[in-house]
Amino acid sequence: MAHSSSSGAISVAVDPVALVVTECITVTSAMRKHARWAHSSVSAILGGSATSNKVESRPRPTARSRFGDSEKKPVRPRAPSITEEVGLANRWGLRGKKGQSMQDNPLLSAFAKLRSDLKRCKDIHTVSAATILHPFLQIIRSSSTSAPITSLALIAITKFFAYNIISKDSPELPLAMQRLSSAVTHCRFEATDSATDEIFLFRILKLMEGMITGPGGDVIGDESMCEMMETGISMCCQVRLSELLRRSAEVSMITMCQTIFERLKHMAVEPEEEDPSARRPSTKADTEAVKMDPSIDGDLLASKQQMNDNVQETRSLDIPREKSDAQSSTVVNGGTQTDSIQSETDEPVDIKPYSLPSIRELFRVLVDLLDPHERQHNDTMRVMALRIVDVALEVAGPSIANHPSLASLAKDILCRHLFQLVRSENIAILNESLRVAGTLLSTCRRVLKLQQELFLSYLVACLHPRVEIPQEPGIDPSLYDGVPQSPRLVKSAASQTNSGRSTPVPIKDRQRLGMEGGLRKPDAREAMVESVGALIRIPSFMVELFVNYDCEIDRSDLCLDMVGLLARNAFPDAATWSTTNVPPLCLDALLGYIHSIADRLQDVPRSEKLPDPAALKQQRELKKVIIKGATKFNENPKAGIAFLAAQGIIDNPDEPASVAHFLKGTTRIDKRVLGDYLSKRSNEGLLTSFMDLFDFANLRVDEALRQLLNSFRLPGEAPLIERIVNEFSAKYCGSSPPANIADKDALYILTYAIIMLNTDQHNPNVKSQNRMSFNDFARNLRGVNGGDDFDKEYLEEIYESIKTREIVLPEEHDNRHSFDHAWKELQFKVHSTTDLNLCQTNLFDAEMFAATWKPVVATLSYVFMSATDDTVFSRVVAGFDQCAQIAAAYNLHDALDHVIFCLSSISTLAAEPLPSTSLNTEVQAGERSVMVSETAVRFGRDFKAQLATVVLFRVVVGHERAIRRNGWAHVIRIILNLFINSLVNSQYLVVSSNADLPPIPLQSPAQVIDRGDRAGEGGIFSAFTSYVSSFANDEPPEPSDQEIEYTLCTVDCVNACSFDQLFSHISELPFESLQAFVRTLLEHFPDDSSPKIMIVKPDIPAPTPIRPNGQKSNPVGVAYDASLVFVLEFATILVAREERSITELGREVANALQSVVRDGNQIHPVNLCRAVYYLLSFLRASFDHDFVRAPVVLHTISKFDPEVFRQANSYIVKGLVLCLDGPVGLRNEMVNSPDFWSVLRSLQAHQEAAQPVFDILNTVVASSGLTSDNYEPVMSLLSDVASAGTASFRAERARHEAAAKSRSQQPPTKQPNEAISRGTKAMSIVLQVATRVPSFIQQSQLDPHDAWKTYWVPLFKTLRSHSFNPCRPIRSQALSSLSRILVSPALVPDTPHQNSEVTSLFTNVLFPLITQLLKPEVWHSDPAGMGETRLQAAILCTKVYLRFLDALLAPCAEESEQQESEEENKVDGVTLWSRILEMMERLVKSGGAGNELQEAVPESIKNIILVMSSSGYLAPPHLEDRTPLQKRLWDVSSQRTERFLPGMLAEVFADTREATPKKAEAAPQKPAVNGENAAEKADQPQDAREEEADENSVET
């Protein structure tokens, strides 16, 4: 019949009832074949029992449960007990001689009865489990069965459990499991051979394992569980058993313990665990009943002799123990022999499943097996126990820590044994103890704060070498700076040598335990390193060390020491004192530490129930101060106290209580120094205050003295000891002496006697027989207690205490007893120490990494330099990357900067100074080219350097905001190195949005090699030819193919560094980061003291012609410094981007730019060009600040040599245009600077800058930029522009003439001449300038006449000089502008100086102009057009005279003859008229103007004469009453005209003679009309006046 099986059970194909019957027949069949049961009755075969009716089942009173249950319940019919069955056997002679009746054998009858009961059974699960197991258990417990028969019974029981015949639902399962456990733990059988016996034991072992791990294991009681565990442990420990069986037992024990301790996870902590006094009596009884005492020395299979005729050896699993009511054990003694059989008459009615009592007892027994001082326990047993304990901790470590009863075992006994076992030289013991310690700390460290500190301190002391790091060639020692030479918990060698007093706390703790470290074997070191690595792999382990130890004042810096330990042992030399596996193990652990921090970067910080990070940081800083102060105190107490007071640690150094409070509260003071300091006479007040801090209440005098001397060491001098004893006596007695002590004096003597007793009892130089006895001690104190003796019992207690426990400083302990005492002190501290804070958070990662990054980065750098394996490189690269990520995420700038320094040092590209580029050679092949340099070849050959560079920029890119000056210094140096060697594409450096500025030119090579034309060449001859050619030309040899390949590797590496992203990120840096970058960038600017001129081979970085033969270029005097341009451009662009950066950094950038521009004549033109542009652009950006002033900059530029202007003109012009487009104030400041116009005049002489300069000029004039201050330089520049047009005209004409003379040449195509066009426009601009002159004169502070000359004369001078210009367009425009200006009404205002100013127009403008036009060389400059110019000049002269006729002649008419005679030499209107006629005469006689001039001049003169005549200024001689003016004018006119126009006056006045009367009448009105016309014309707009003058000229 089928039945549902439990999980894990095996389904059975046969009927379960039949299977049980079959197993019964199998066992009985084997028994019948044995000689002892050969004559069994037929009932044994038929399934009946002859005695079944004799042993009746009847009700029995209920016995009290073992677990205190007094409730009475009905019980099942009792089966015959084994005692009764043995009685029946004896009665019926079953053990008699052969042939005696065997028909009623109880062992066989039990099987018969079971078979009989099962005949009516349909479902085996309805049968009681105890009933099924009963006959099999009798076989197991019977000593008369052999091992094979007992094995059959075990096999049957095993099947019952495996096939689910007995399951968790079976009736009376708890009782069956109890009886089964009792049977298998008290099994007896007749011995055969050891192999068979051990097989039997193995079956028992597996059965116990199945019982505990199976479904029925949950109902096993505590006592049964302890019995089975006791049996299992005994089998593991029996040395007489085979190794195989013992190992099998160990494996089974591990499996069973896994199940047992798994149950602990589901047990709640009971109140009595936390308070043992609250335990119920029943619980106490259960606890006392559950005891285990596994057999260690005895033989588990005990041999017993039977004293009958047929002596047979039997074996038993009984563990020797005291007799009890439930068990009687008889031992073979003489001839008496009985079997040890457990009575089953008192069966428990209720069995409680096993729980904490049995688990605690099991844990206790396992821990006790670890006792290193127990001689019965060998190392094999300890190894076995360690493995089982490790499994228990792995399964239920946190649960053990949560149960106080188990936690107390772990905190005290387990840790004490483990910490002593780790000192074992047995490698097996060491490995297992380290593993258990690691598991213990990983699962229970919350309650093991002090124990963990002790254990880790010992590991650090053992593993940290005191050897300096060896310096290897090629590795900079600064790379591994930061790796500690010794742990922080160990005082340095120098301190020990100098004072011998500095003893930090952790070393004392280790000395208390006798765990001072020292040398360990290499294998032991490796095992310890593996243990440390396993702990560090716990993600939160290191941060917990940091928070709970490094940040607590009285704890050691475990986190820093662990990192230092791993860092130091990761160096390759660590293999010399350990094994070759230690360095990679340490490196792996160190990288795991970094990886755990990096993994938590993105986590959300959790702060629940955790300390405040700010408070921890403050506490850590306080700890540093205290350590420093304690160190100073140990060297010089007064200096130490002064330092601590200055730091605020001691409130008042003059107050003894404050100082005493610190000295007692800190454990970092050297106790020898403290004892000496307290006992000084000058410190009596301090000693008193120090004593007041102790509480000696309810302490015996030796206990109080022990407590006192635990805080400092007694000095060696008697007076000092006396002072301390006196103070102690006064404190101990207080206001009233304690019991058994009469007074203070008695206590003083007793204290001294105790000190002497302590010395006598524990001085190694005193022999045992000579040591003081109690009687001696009591005799010495006779009669000193106020005249009486001390109480004998009181003295005896003191004597025994001192004899067994020496009063000594914990750090001076050196034996086991001292170890025990020190451990007790540690356990005493445990009660006052808080639990460990478990930190599953990244809240403290920043502070922890800030404290530990130095040894980590140093180790990575050293390993990177010395490694050869790709896997190591990969891990180290990942470590660098993670360190950078952590430093950037937590803004640990120093850490990130140091990572950059290490990688840049390894890259070899950050060398100072920058390498020479004089031998750089460009190799071209088709469209590709590569610059071969010494740097590129060396770098391409070094794989580590390439890898470091890629890693470096992988670290930098994306973390730019966290880098500070130290980091940027190395990055910038690398960039400059690559840039000057043309290894960085210039397009990466274009970070400016100004398209007018081309990219920075790269360094020009010393030579260019084109390999495209020699692709087919090769061989030795070609190479030899190249070498000889280069040697003859004094140039570097042509690069080899290998050097080119190395260079290509360098190029590939540089391309992988993401420079485009780097520069893009830099341009977007926030100000704080930008400030660091710019200031570091400017640090690479050359000092002013450095030489500016260098003789080098490279030319300016212009396109270099390809020289297939590799010939070199000509040297020049000044070197081009591409790095200088890079620094200036980058700094200027970055600083000028926002107002804050300009304010903070502008002055530094301005100083750098100005220092270059000031030395412009000694700087390479390319450097200077861009520096000037940067300076001008920065001038625009920083105009609101006083960093750069426009006049200073312009003055500096104006002092450049002409050659500098020739090469830098385009950049200067661009910069000026940029400034003029900037703020209005800057534009006004520039245009009013004389140096600005001086610079423009220097620039316009160069064709490239002429047009921009003219545009600037035109813009200034058109945009009201023209002022009285820049008026003259503007006129000068306009004149220069026109002169430039003249020069261009002459050059163009010369080219045409040369082409005309050479018949073979094709005449050049005539193109528009921009210079002439600019010159023409310049003359028109003068006309615009003229409109501003009246306002300048009006605004001027000068005398009006002086002002008129100041502003008009330069303008007329400019126009006059270009009115005879050889270039006809310029000349025509100049003369036209002059004509418009001269006839302008605003030219000569109505002032007292009007006559003088008008006269100046002729004497300074018109007459010199005509004089120049009459010169032959002027005529020949443009023969075809100069005649027209003369004509225009003549007409202009007469027109101007007519324009100012009244102004010239009216004053003359008012003058008297006397004045005229006195001022004959004065230039007036008459004199000017004479000069005009003279000029007209010269023009007419010049003959160069043709008929036009011959006709125009007489007409113009005739017109003037008519106007003068009509105006009354000129009268012929035939008229009467002529004025002197009329006379003079007639005489001058007659005299001059008759010379070149004879008869003209007569002709004119002949026509007028007939009309004399009419004209005479009208004559007086003419001047008035002319005056009115003049006034009207003066009031006309300028354009109207100019048009009228042009019309008059045309009419003329």
Side-chain angles (χ1 to χ4, degrees), residues 170-183:
S170 297
E172 296 186 327
L173 179 63
L175 178 61
M177 297 300 291
Q178 182 192 37
R179 291 181 174 179
L180 177 59
S181 64
S182 176

Side-chain angles (χ1 to χ4, degrees), residues 30 95 103 157 166 181 208 254 295 301 331 355 377 425 510 556 650 832 897 1012 1018 1060 1080 1084 1107 1214 1371 1470 1510:
R95 293 181 180 270
Q103 58 181 353
I157 295 174
I166 298 178
S181 64
M208 290 192 301
I254 290 175
S295 175
L301 301 179
V331 181
S355 59
H377 302 166
E425 296 298 330
R510 292 199 321 280
S556 57
I650 296 178
S832 60
D897 288 352
D1060 53 345
T1080 308
H1084 293 79
R1107 296 179 295 279
K1214 290 177 182 178
R1371 184 174 69 246
V1470 178
S1510 63

Side-chain angles (χ1 to χ4, degrees), residues 33-50:
K33 292 176 178 142
H34 195 275
R36 179 169 297 177
W37 295 280
H39 301 284
S40 58
S41 63
V42 177
S43 62
I45 300 175
L46 297 178
S49 176

Side-chain angles (χ1 to χ4, degrees), residues 1261-1526:
V1261 175
S1263 62
S1264 302
L1266 182 66
T1267 63
S1268 58
D1269 295 330
N1270 59 23
Y1271 172 76
E1272 289 191 15
V1274 167
M1275 297 309 303
S1276 299
L1277 182 57
L1278 289 171
S1279 179
D1280 291 343
V1281 172
S1283 299
T1286 303
S1288 178
F1289 167 75
R1290 287 175 175 169
E1292 184 179 354
R1293 185 171 61 182
R1295 290 194 298 271
H1296 281 276
E1297 291 176 353
K1301 291 180 181 179
S1302 177
R1303 297 179 180 178
S1304 60
Q1305 288 187 356
Q1306 187 75 14
T1309 304
K1310 192 170 184 179
Q1311 297 178 350
N1313 194 315
E1314 295 181 358
I1316 297 175
S1317 176
R1318 288 191 295 269
T1320 305
K1321 293 179 181 178
M1323 294 299 99
S1324 65
I1325 293 175
V1326 174
L1327 189 59
Q1328 299 179 28
V1329 175
T1331 61
R1332 303 290 305 279
V1333 172
S1335 63
F1336 293 159
I1337 295 174
Q1338 185 178 2
Q1339 297 170 3
S1340 176
Q1341 301 296 325
L1342 298 174
D1343 179 75
H1345 179 61
D1346 295 337
W1348 190 93
K1349 291 192 299 184
T1350 300
Y1351 292 107
W1352 281 115
V1353 170
L1355 185 145
F1356 291 141
K1357 182 179 179 181
T1358 299
L1359 292 176
R1360 183 196 68 191
S1361 63
H1362 291 287
S1363 294
F1364 54 86
N1365 195 300
C1367 181
R1368 191 178 304 172
I1370 298 176
R1371 184 174 69 246
S1372 299
Q1373 184 60 48
L1375 193 56
S1376 174
S1377 299
L1378 182 61
S1379 300
R1380 288 173 176 266
I1381 295 171
L1382 290 177
V1383 298
S1384 171
L1387 178 61
V1388 180
D1390 188 8
T1391 63
H1393 303 284
Q1394 184 180 22
N1395 188 283
S1396 174
E1397 294 165 354
V1398 173
T1399 302
S1400 176
L1401 295 178
F1402 288 93
T1403 58
N1404 295 327
V1405 181
L1406 294 173
F1407 294 159
L1409 172 60
I1410 296 174
T1411 302
Q1412 289 293 331
L1413 291 173
L1414 290 173
K1415 291 182 179 180
E1417 61 271 19
V1418 174
W1419 169 267
H1420 291 294
S1421 64
D1422 185 15
M1426 200 58 71
E1428 182 182 356
T1429 304
R1430 288 181 179 181
L1431 176 60
Q1432 293 175 358
I1435 295 173
L1436 178 62
C1437 185
T1438 57
K1439 185 189 298 187
V1440 172
Y1441 192 77
L1442 285 174
R1443 163 71 176 80
F1444 297 105
L1445 184 63
D1446 292 339
L1448 291 172
L1449 296 181
C1452 297
E1454 297 174 0
E1455 293 178 354
S1456 64
E1457 296 182 358
Q1458 291 80 9
Q1459 291 175 340
E1460 180 184 357
S1461 61
E1462 292 175 0
E1463 299 181 7
E1464 292 181 354
N1465 297 326
K1466 181 180 179 181
V1467 179
D1468 53 10
V1470 178
T1471 306
L1472 289 178
W1473 173 241
S1474 176
R1475 293 285 303 275
I1476 291 172
L1477 292 176
E1478 180 184 355
M1479 292 298 168
M1480 296 300 109
E1481 178 185 2
R1482 295 179 62 184
L1483 287 172
V1484 171
K1485 292 181 178 181
S1486 64
N1491 294 330
E1492 294 179 359
L1493 187 60
Q1494 297 292 335
E1495 296 174 358
V1497 169
E1499 290 297 331
S1500 297
I1501 294 175
K1502 183 178 180 180
N1503 188 34
I1504 295 174
I1505 291 174
L1506 289 173
V1507 173
M1508 287 191 298
S1509 175
S1510 63
S1511 300
Y1513 296 125
L1514 180 63
H1518 64 271
L1519 296 177
E1520 299 179 358
D1521 299 330
R1522 291 190 303 169
T1523 64
L1525 176 60
Q1526 293 173 338

